[in-house]
Amino acid sequence: MFALTKIRSFARWVATATFTVCLASTGGQVANAGTLHNGWNYAIDSFTDGFTGNQVGGGVFEFYGMAIQEKSDRIVVALNANLPITGFANSQAANGSVGWGDLFFNFSGQNFKTASANGSLFAVRFAETNDSGAATTGVYKNVTAKSVSLTNSGFVNLAQYDNYVAAGGGTSSMADLAATDPYFEREGYATVLNEIDSGTKVGDISFLNSASLNTLGLNFNKFGASGSETFGFSFAKSSLPGDSYIANIFAECANDGIAIISQAESVPEPASALGILAFGAFGGISRLLRKKVNT
């Protein structure tokens, strides 16, 4: 409670100081996003911002949620969606299927495009069938990102994606980030950066099925996330430089995406405050406070 009071005080200080085959998206229980439950930090996406053909929500490209558990020496990531880890067969896609992009971690306090341009991202390639520039699955540092959406029958940019969702009666969301959050560029010709372009491998990953994740206390059902696919992976905690980040993932077609803000447990020291301040510009502080709710 003392730490929460300090975080709220810090937040107040910040406030005063500063056509596609792949048409699918998510919609749903945004109010449940950002909850710490049983050792997992959950980001629950909208259940009505994914298109499959003319269907809004519930199709193969619907993403429901992501959860991250930080153990003493491992990071565990879990995903719940309708899209298999092997992707969805599509003869018009670059390698014959449209699948998962790579999972990015941003510790820099910069928006995603800037962090990518500076090679400041960390990322995990976990889908062996995607079009990543990473040679193998694993954890990478000094990462720059690229867009593969147009070679996967996908959206030109997020503005186009939002328009399709709205026209179909859905509600766009990036789970812990609002659909309009400036962390991701949405207008003009900005393409969706959804896979590793370059980087240096720093670790391997271990795959986990739903049964293994359940033994670790994972429970997407608590938040109404009912995707047909639940899977995950873990990697050494030492592969990442800290515990204050925004992480995100998109489908290769930019049809749906999820962002999650890390579960911060203490007030940052002055040296690291600028990073949190920068995240505050993207709505990170308000969501950080919301994440202090335990269920």
Side-chain angles (χ1 to χ4, degrees):
M1 187 64 176
F2 177 70
L4 178 55
T5 301
K6 292 180 71 179
I7 290 174
R8 282 175 173 153
S9 297
F10 180 71
R12 285 194 293 269
W13 175 83
V14 169
T16 57
T18 45
F19 323 123
T20 74
V21 176
C22 164
L23 287 178
S25 83
T26 72
Q29 313 304 316
V30 178
N32 287 332
T35 299
L36 181 66
H37 173 65
N38 203 18
W40 288 88
N41 178 26
Y42 289 86
I44 304 301
D45 196 27
S46 166
F47 300 164
T48 60
D49 63 354
F51 275 83
T52 302
N54 294 322
Q55 176 185 346
V56 182
V60 68
F61 288 98
E62 191 69 70
F63 290 3
Y64 291 88
M66 174 163 56
I68 295 180
Q69 184 182 77
E70 296 189 23
K71 304 175 78 67
S72 60
D73 60 343
R74 304 286 290 179
I75 300 292
V76 186
V77 178
L79 294 162
N80 180 259
N82 288 339
L83 182 64
I85 193 172
T86 53
F88 178 73
N90 181 351
S91 61
Q92 299 179 37
N95 64 358
S97 69
V98 180
W100 291 85
D102 297 323
L103 174 63
F104 293 93
F105 289 83
N106 184 1
F107 298 85
S108 72
Q110 302 166 327
N111 67 34
F112 189 81
K113 181 180 179 181
T114 302
S116 172
N118 292 336
S120 301
L121 296 170
F122 286 71
V124 180
R125 182 186 182 188
F126 62 90
E128 295 181 345
T129 59
N130 72 9
D131 303 329
S132 178
T136 63
T137 59
V139 185
Y140 290 78
K141 70 175 182 178
N142 300 331
V143 169
T144 62
K146 65 177 181 178
S147 176
V148 300
S149 58
L150 295 184
T151 56
N152 281 276
S153 292
F155 290 99
V156 173
N157 53 40
L158 287 175
Q160 185 191 44
Y161 162 73
D162 290 340
N163 290 338
Y164 269 90
V165 172
T171 302
S172 296
S173 167
M174 283 295 296
D176 275 3
L177 294 179
T180 56
D181 197 292
Y183 181 72
F184 298 108
E185 289 189 332
R186 309 188 81 82
E187 303 298 334
Y189 296 97
T191 55
V192 181
L193 303 176
N194 47 6
E195 291 189 356
I196 297 169
D197 188 21
S198 64
T200 302
K201 187 173 181 178
V202 293
D204 293 315
I205 61 175
S206 299
F207 288 98
L208 298 167
N209 59 25
S210 59
S212 298
L213 292 167
N214 289 341
T215 64
L216 296 175
L218 181 72
N219 184 10
F220 277 116
N221 288 333
K222 178 177 177 62
F223 305 99
S226 57
S228 60
E229 306 287 330
T230 299
F231 59 86
F233 49 88
S234 70
F235 54 89
K237 193 172 185 177
S238 59
S239 299
L240 300 181
D243 59 4
S244 181
Y245 56 80
I246 294 177
N248 72 273
I249 189 167
F250 286 99
E252 287 193 292
C253 53
N255 195 319
D256 200 1
I258 297 176
I260 186 169
I261 299 174
S262 61
Q263 182 71 41
E265 297 294 349
S266 61
V267 175
E269 297 297 324
S272 61
L274 288 179
I276 299 297
L277 176 60
F279 284 157
F282 309 124
I285 286 292
S286 64
R287 292 173 179 81
L288 182 63
L289 294 177
R290 179 161 54 84
K291 283 175 175 300
K292 303 307 293 186
V293 178
N294 288 267
T295 63

